[in-house]
Amino acid sequence: MSLVYVTNKKNGTTYVYESTNYWDKEKKQSRSKRVCIGKLDEAGNLVPSKRLAMPPAKQGPVPSTVMKRSFYGATYLFDKIGELLGVTADLKACFPESYKQILSIAYFLILEDRNTMLRFPKWDRTHSHPYGSCIPSQRSSDLFASVTEEAKNRFFSLQAKRRTENEYWAYDTTSVSSYSESLKQVKYGINKDHDPLAQINLALLFGEESGLPFYYRKLAGNISDVKTVKHLLADLGNLGFSKVKLVMDRGFYSKENIDALYQNHLKFLMATKVSLKYVQEELNKVRDNIRTRANYNASYQLYSHTATIDWEYSQKRPYKGDVIEGKRRMYLHLYFSGEKALEHENRFNALLDRLEAELVSGNRKAEHEKQYAKYFEITSTPKRGTKVTPKQEAITQAEKDYGFFALISNEIKDPIAALDLYRNKDIVEKAFGNLKERLNLRRTAVSSESSLEGKLFVQFIALIYLSYIKKQMS
């Protein structure tokens, strides 16, 4: 084999051939075969022919180095719920960098109920989830701290727009106990779980028709229910909500709150005390004749009556230094339940038995002194000892309202429709149960304000999924 150089006279290019001698058996003579292997460049170096360039070798099968099994069923369900409710889209719009991590932790909280974030790495190894990677405990703390108030409020606003415009929103609060001494809003107050600990209060707004939450607010533990309404109204205004309709229990009742609801042109349904003067005035009109067949409802097994009354409205105007007064229309719904009357009577008689036993035995308690004087005539002599005589007039007066309860509204005229709506308010209480038990919110379990805000938000996202599943399953 030898190299042969041939120069093209037209363009002056020198081509290089590989010449091979071989024996031709047919012609019985020696011959040569030339194959062009390239050409010479200006420096005299060989430039190989493209025709002879070897194609890249095809890659063969690569042996697997990792074997993994992941559960995907629940993830698929949650993904579809997120699409249906717009939760995924709204989170992506508000938290473009971290929405997948938020969803993954929410999925974890639902599927691994009552477990802390320390278990997430183990859960990640066996479950498919939106983020697709492990989120260690420290990383989750950083995520919680990154949740801003602005982004959170934007999410509330986007979710509220997806709700029915004419839907009533149930509003309620609960307490979350805490051992922390570094959280500013942890204060001693009325603990609804009866824990002897300081607490924060958590307010929640729920759509009664959708069965879904879309707003919450963290409040100081020493703020009473009645004082939270002004925070709610301020937030509703800031979030741009209009045509709001609220359902609240009697713990939120005060004249100032009712005036504020009228002032903000909000529709409401609220429980109220039967002992209030204007309720007593209407109740005295129907006390003896409310129990008629026409007023009876078989579903609830009670009697109802509605009266249209005038609410004495007043509004202070600090900038003018005066007070606007006027009348606003209100519907007062009165109800009588025989079952509730019997329950109240039994409880009251048990109280009287206890008070009388304390008086006769001489084991009086300081906190009961007012009740002793109100319901009993007490006489003591050296020979006969203590004699206790019931004050029947006072007892009858206390018993006269047993079985009655009242609701007020500035929109709903029908008493049974109002009661239906009010009874549905228990979805908020059930949601608080889910938050505390399944989503591990019985204690705050964080040490910084920013981490608490973020943790509450992620637990709120998980609550949306749980609430939707519960409604569909029901």
Side-chain angles (χ1 to χ4, degrees):
M1 184 178 66
S2 60
L3 297 179
V4 178
Y5 299 88
V6 178
T7 302
N8 189 317
K9 294 181 179 179
K10 291 184 178 180
N11 57 21
T13 302
T14 299
Y15 294 94
V16 180
Y17 292 85
E18 191 178 75
S19 178
T20 306
N21 294 325
Y22 68 95
W23 178 258
D24 189 339
K25 292 182 180 179
E26 292 182 359
K27 296 186 178 181
K28 297 181 181 180
Q29 61 180 8
S30 177
R31 305 193 65 176
S32 64
K33 180 181 179 180
R34 292 183 180 179
V35 177
C36 182
I37 61 171
K39 61 183 179 179
L40 299 179
D41 60 12
E42 294 179 356
N45 298 317
L46 176 67
V47 180
S49 173
K50 292 181 181 179
R51 180 173 58 83
L52 298 178
M54 293 294 291
K58 292 184 178 179
Q59 186 174 359
V62 178
S64 22
T65 56
V66 177
M67 295 181 66
K68 182 179 179 182
R69 182 182 70 166
S70 294
F71 295 104
Y72 186 66
T75 302
Y76 179 78
L77 172 65
F78 294 157
D79 286 347
K80 291 303 176 184
I81 293 173
E83 291 176 17
L84 181 67
L85 301 180
V87 173
T88 305
D90 293 347
L91 280 176
K92 187 176 182 179
C94 302
F95 304 91
E97 303 297 327
S98 58
Y99 77 98
K100 288 185 178 181
Q101 292 169 276
I102 292 173
L103 286 172
S104 290
I105 296 178
Y107 291 8
F108 165 78
L109 291 174
I110 298 170
L111 297 175
E112 295 288 317
D113 58 313
R114 299 179 180 87
N115 276 314
T116 65
M117 284 301 297
L118 293 173
R119 187 178 168 81
F120 190 96
K122 182 177 180 180
W123 180 81
D124 165 65
R125 291 195 293 271
T126 56
H127 288 76
S128 174
H129 55 90
Y131 185 60
S133 298
C134 181
I135 305 175
S137 181
Q138 180 56 46
R139 205 167 181 188
S140 66
S141 298
D142 295 339
L143 173 67
F144 295 154
S146 70
V147 174
T148 64
E149 189 73 14
E150 181 183 357
K152 186 178 71 175
N153 287 340
R154 187 182 173 203
F155 177 82
F156 293 156
S157 182
L158 291 174
Q159 279 288 289
K161 290 176 182 177
R162 299 179 185 273
R163 302 290 181 265
T164 306
E165 187 173 294
N166 293 322
E167 182 179 40
Y168 266 84
W169 297 345
Y171 176 72
D172 208 347
T173 65
T174 191
S175 55
V176 180
S177 302
S178 178
Y179 292 103
S180 176
E181 297 181 357
S182 60
L183 300 175
K184 291 187 296 183
Q185 291 184 311
V186 172
K187 307 284 185 182
Y188 281 96
I190 300 175
N191 194 296
K192 298 187 178 182
D193 296 324
H194 308 292
D195 288 335
L197 296 171
Q199 66 192 48
I200 61 166
N201 288 335
L202 189 66
L204 192 62
L205 206 55
F206 238 87
E208 289 218 346
E209 187 174 326
S210 65
L212 300 174
F214 62 89
Y215 161 92
Y216 76 88
R217 182 184 176 94
K218 177 172 66 70
L219 298 161
N222 58 354
I223 294 181
S224 62
D225 283 354
V226 71
K227 292 182 180 179
T228 66
V229 175
K230 67 178 182 180
H231 296 288
L232 171 65
L233 298 182
D235 284 350
L236 293 177
N238 293 335
L239 295 172
F241 295 157
S242 60
K243 300 182 180 179
V244 173
K245 301 179 179 183
L246 297 171
V247 182
M248 293 178 275
D249 64 32
R250 70 181 193 177
F252 299 98
Y253 177 89
S254 72
K255 185 180 186 309
E256 292 75 14
N257 286 343
I258 300 297
D259 285 341
L261 290 167
Y262 275 113
Q263 182 181 341
N264 287 275
H265 309 289
L266 304 180
K267 304 299 182 184
F268 63 87
L269 173 66
M270 186 183 293
T272 187
K273 294 180 180 179
V274 176
S275 59
L276 293 173
K277 182 180 178 181
Y278 68 91
V279 179
Q280 282 290 311
E281 287 175 357
E282 294 300 325
L283 184 55
N284 288 333
K285 295 176 184 178
V286 298
R287 187 186 301 278
D288 298 327
N289 55 25
I290 191 174
R291 280 173 274 184
T292 63
R293 184 64 188 173
N295 292 335
Y296 184 72
N297 180 267
S299 297
Y300 289 111
Q301 297 183 336
L302 50 68
Y303 302 90
S304 63
H305 171 78
T306 297
T308 303
I309 63 173
D310 290 326
W311 174 259
E312 299 296 334
Y313 173 77
S314 61
Q315 176 189 344
K316 293 181 180 179
R317 298 193 297 182
Y319 55 93
K320 287 192 174 182
D322 62 354
V323 178
I324 299 175
E325 294 182 341
K327 297 184 183 298
R328 299 290 185 270
R329 184 176 60 186
M330 178 184 282
Y331 302 104
L332 172 61
H333 304 296
L334 300 172
Y335 307 89
F336 175 81
S337 166
E339 182 181 352
K340 191 178 285 291
L342 181 60
E343 179 186 333
H344 287 170
E345 187 176 1
N346 288 339
R347 193 184 306 148
F348 184 54
N349 282 327
L351 171 65
L352 294 178
D353 290 343
R354 192 164 59 251
L355 294 175
E356 188 171 356
E358 290 170 3
L359 289 170
V360 172
S361 65
N363 297 321
R364 298 173 66 146
K365 295 183 179 180
E367 63 268 24
H368 293 164
E369 287 297 331
K370 288 184 178 180
Q371 291 174 311
Y372 298 148
K374 183 175 182 181
Y375 297 119
F376 296 100
E377 288 283 355
I378 308 163
T379 57
S380 297
T381 61
K383 290 185 178 180
R384 295 182 181 181
T386 301
K387 182 181 178 181
V388 179
T389 306
K391 293 180 178 178
Q392 190 55 46
E393 186 177 341
I395 292 173
T396 302
Q397 181 67 21
E399 291 177 336
K400 70 184 177 68
D401 291 333
Y402 285 174
F404 288 100
F405 60 98
L407 300 175
I408 55 174
S409 176
N410 60 348
E411 182 183 53
I412 304 172
K413 301 177 183 179
D414 184 78
I416 301 304
L419 187 58
D420 282 338
L421 198 61
Y422 186 77
R423 291 284 175 89
N424 286 337
K425 186 185 69 65
D426 69 350
I427 59 173
V428 186
E429 295 171 9
K430 292 174 181 176
F432 285 140
N434 272 329
L435 272 172
K436 292 182 178 182
E437 300 301 332
R438 189 178 188 97
L439 301 179
N440 205 26
L441 191 60
R442 188 160 288 282
R443 299 286 185 271
T444 55
V446 293
S447 57
S448 68
E449 291 285 344
S450 57
S451 292
L452 177 59
E453 290 287 357
K455 182 183 179 183
L456 285 174
F457 181 74
V458 176
Q459 288 170 319
F460 175 78
I461 299 299
L463 181 62
I464 295 176
Y465 285 84
L466 270 179
S467 301
Y468 178 82
I469 292 171
K470 184 182 184 308
K471 183 175 176 62
Q472 297 305 312
M473 293 296 285
S474 296

